[in-house]
Structure formats: structure tokens, C-alpha cells
Amino acid sequence: VLFLIAGLLAMFIRLELMQPGRNYMSSAVYNDIMSLHGTLMIFVGVATIVGAFGNYVVPIMIGAEDMAYPRLNALSYWFLPPVVILLAASALANGFDTGWTGYPPLAETTRMGEIFYNLAFFTVGFSSILGAINLITTIITLRAPGLTWGRLPIFVWSILGTAILSFLFTQFIALAMLMNLADRVGGFGFFDVAKGGNPLLYQHVFWFYSHPAVYVMILPAFGITLEVITHFSRKPLFEQKWAVMGMMGVVALSAVVWAHHMF
């Protein structure tokens, strides 16, 4: 449903851009639609590929009866309906026009819908962290006897890499959203120049997650592609070790950068 809504919003954007000038909507409405479309696409990409495919396919591929923490799995799932409600509330509260990135200082002076955007992003981030913990634990501890690391399917490797990235980096986007909320609701000055803050600080914290987020969404897609191609060609994956090394190399490099900045 979310993917359908995001796709329809994209069609509205394309309809407006078919001809020069302003045609069907005001600039404010266009910015609201663009912002909600981008946010929904990010949420759908993370929740659908990692959450749905990971939770359903990974236990089957590794021979596990269920995820390592079924209740934690359910909790991470039930965090998602409030995200939909919050995004719907943002539209009812005159929307938000900061794009999916939500940069201050605009994010601290724009309409009330920005608050719901911050809360929705924080909630889906928390769900992503819980799901990542569950996937990592499941893959490491619940593999069937004889399923060594060298025999692990490439899709499972891609989900493992994605889960590690989500676990390490999603906390930063949650921090950025909380700092933005603290500025707007609590009167703090993290990003307010008049109070001694720095708007660029938001970008540093935000992109500490959002650059690895590219790999969070592309690694499972790579895994799915390789699994489908090898299955229908009826041939084993050529040089699977190198494919795994490439995926986990991205994870390792991101982790090194994370450790460098943290310590």
C-alpha cells in the first residue's frame, strides 16, 4: 500500500513537470508531495526488502524454524503501523516541505507536519535496529547443521551485511531526528545559529547514516538478483567467494569509518 501511494505521488510529480511553469499545483503543494514521496520510498525500501524478505526467506534458507527472537520480531513489525499514522498526520498538519532529508534551519521553522516526519523517521529507525539485531543473531546461531559460512546462500550474506550496517548506523539518524525535535519543541539550540548551534552538524550526523543507507537498500537487491539469475540459469554462482567479499568489504569499510569517527 505504501509503495502504491509513493508511486502515485511520483506520478503527480511527473505530471507537474511535463510542461514548464506552474501547471496543476502550487510550489508549496509540490514540495509537500515531493517530500512525502521521498520519505515513503526510503521507508518502503528498508521495510519491504530487509524486513519482509529478510524475515520470511532467511529462516527458510538457513534451515531455521523461526527467527531467533520471535517477540522482538513482532515488536519491530508493530512499530511500522505508527509510522504510517505519523506520515498521514504530517499530511493533515499541512505537510512538510524539507524533502526526505529534513535539513535545518528550514526544518525548524516550517509547518507542523515536520514534527510528525521526525517522529516517523525515528520510529522506523528503531524498528530497523531491532530487526537488524534479530537477523544477525538468527544467521549466526540458527544455521542448520552442516551449513557452514562457505555454503551460506548469497542472499543470506547480503541480508547479514545489511543488518550489520543497519545496527551500526541507524542510531545516528535517530539522534539527528531527536536533536531536531529538541530544537523545535524543547527550545534547544543544536542547529540554531542564534543560540550558538551549527546547521552543518545535522548534515554530519544525518549522512553518517544516510550514506551507508545506500548499501542497506542495494545489498539485498544484489542478493536477490544473484539468487534469481543462478536459479533460473541452473548454474552455481560464479566466484561466490568474490561476491561475498565484495558485499562484506563494503560493510567492513563502512565499519572502519564508523570506528574512526567514534573513537
Side-chain angles (χ1 to χ4, degrees), residues 121 125 169-178 202 205-206 209-210:
F121 218 132
F169 293 101
T170 308
Q171 53 192 301
F172 294 98
I173 192 68
L175 175 63
M177 296 301 153
L178 284 179
Y202 178 89
V205 179
F206 179 88
Y209 161 79
S210 296

Side-chain angles (χ1 to χ4, degrees), residues 54-250:
N55 279 276
Y56 181 75
V57 177
V58 167
I60 297 174
M61 282 189 161
I62 66 174
E65 294 183 359
D66 199 351
M67 299 291 287
Y69 305 116
R71 292 185 179 179
L72 187 66
N73 196 34
L75 180 62
S76 64
Y77 170 79
W78 285 109
F79 269 120
L80 296 178
V83 173
V84 180
I85 295 172
L86 287 168
L87 289 176
S90 73
L92 296 176
N94 295 323
F96 61 98
D97 55 358
T98 56
W100 76 272
T101 53
Y103 280 172
L106 177 60
E108 298 183 0
T109 58
T110 189
R111 299 185 292 276
M112 187 66 67
E114 186 71 23
I115 296 178
F116 295 102
Y117 156 81
N118 289 138
L119 291 172
F121 218 132
F122 176 83
T123 306
V124 78
F126 195 58
S127 172
S128 179
I129 292 173
L130 296 180
I133 294 172
N134 212 354
L135 285 167
I136 293 171
T137 307
T138 301
I139 294 171
I140 292 176
T141 63
L142 295 184
R143 298 193 312 277
L147 185 59
T148 61
W149 290 106
R151 301 177 63 188
L152 206 61
I154 191 65
F155 177 72
V156 179
W157 275 111
S158 69
I159 291 294
L160 178 61
T162 300
I164 294 172
L165 289 174
S166 296
F167 175 67
L168 290 179
F169 293 101
T170 308
Q171 53 192 301
F172 294 98
I173 192 68
L175 175 63
M177 296 301 153
L178 284 179
M179 294 169 74
N180 213 342
L181 279 172
D183 274 13
R184 179 154 185 161
V185 178
F188 289 71
F190 293 112
F191 311 125
D192 189 351
V193 177
K195 296 180 181 179
N198 184 0
L200 290 179
L201 175 62
Y202 178 89
Q203 296 187 32
H204 293 316
V205 179
F206 179 88
W207 285 105
F208 209 92
Y209 161 79
S210 296
H211 182 70
V214 175
Y215 308 118
V216 168
M217 287 177 275
I218 197 63
L219 285 182
F222 284 157
I224 292 172
T225 302
L226 293 174
E227 288 285 357
V228 171
I229 290 175
T230 54
H231 176 78
F232 284 100
S233 64
R234 299 181 181 180
K235 293 182 179 180
L237 178 60
F238 178 73
E239 293 292 355
Q240 176 168 339
K241 291 183 180 179
W242 285 100
V244 171
M245 288 173 61
M247 289 183 178
M248 301 311 291
V250 169

Side-chain angles (χ1 to χ4, degrees), residues 8-25 30:
L8 290 175
L9 293 176
M11 293 300 101
F12 287 131
I13 294 173
R14 296 301 178 189
L15 183 65
E16 177 64 27
L17 295 176
M18 285 180 64
Q19 297 178 353
R22 189 178 301 168
N23 301 299
Y24 303 104
M25 61 188 78
Y30 177 85

